[in-house]
Amino acid sequence: MAISFDPEGYAYKCWEVIGNKEYAIGKINNEGRLMDINEKILNRQLFGADTLEDVVCSQCKYLPICNGGCPLQRIENKFDNGHNCNCTFYKGYMAEFLKIHIARKKAIEFQSTNK
Ligand code: SF4
């Protein structure tokens, strides 16, 4: 588990929310100990975004690609009535993306063999 800190010593599970104290899991003191732990926020961030507990994601064939999207957005959806869409932009368009990918690969290969 990675933890990021803001200049005031507040600790965050995700760097996306550094400085937003609503998401701080605690604050580091002068001895380097994490104090004032916000157990609600910490537990949400440790256990609240499990994709295998999500009935939709756990059955989705795109789960290996997107892993359920941003965990914090999932937590907002689950606990704070959020409406974030976490689905990968590949969802429903895999065939088209593969065609584009193959065409680009062929173009790069063609360029490198015709130098
Ligand atoms: S594409 Fe959407 S439904 Fe599928 S695993 Fe990702 S977030 Fe879940």
Side-chain angles (χ1 to χ4, degrees), residues 5 9-12 23-28 34-38 41:
F5 297 93
Y10 287 93
Y12 304 87
Y23 288 92
I25 60 173
K27 188 176 183 185
I28 200 165
L34 190 60
M35 308 298 286
D36 303 327
I37 294 172
N38 186 331
I41 296 298

Side-chain angles (χ1 to χ4, degrees), residues 56-58 60-63 66-69 74 86-88 91:
V56 176
C57 292
S58 63
C60 178
K61 64 183 177 184
Y62 294 92
L63 183 61
C66 84
N67 199 25
R74 296 177 60 78
N86 293 329
C87 294
T88 173
K91 190 174 184 178

Side-chain angles (χ1 to χ4, degrees), residues 90-107:
Y90 290 114
K91 190 174 184 178
Y93 300 100
M94 188 58 88
E96 288 80 0
F97 276 107
L98 283 174
K99 285 178 193 165
I100 293 167
H101 178 72
I102 290 166
R104 289 194 69 228
K105 282 281 202 192
K106 283 182 178 174

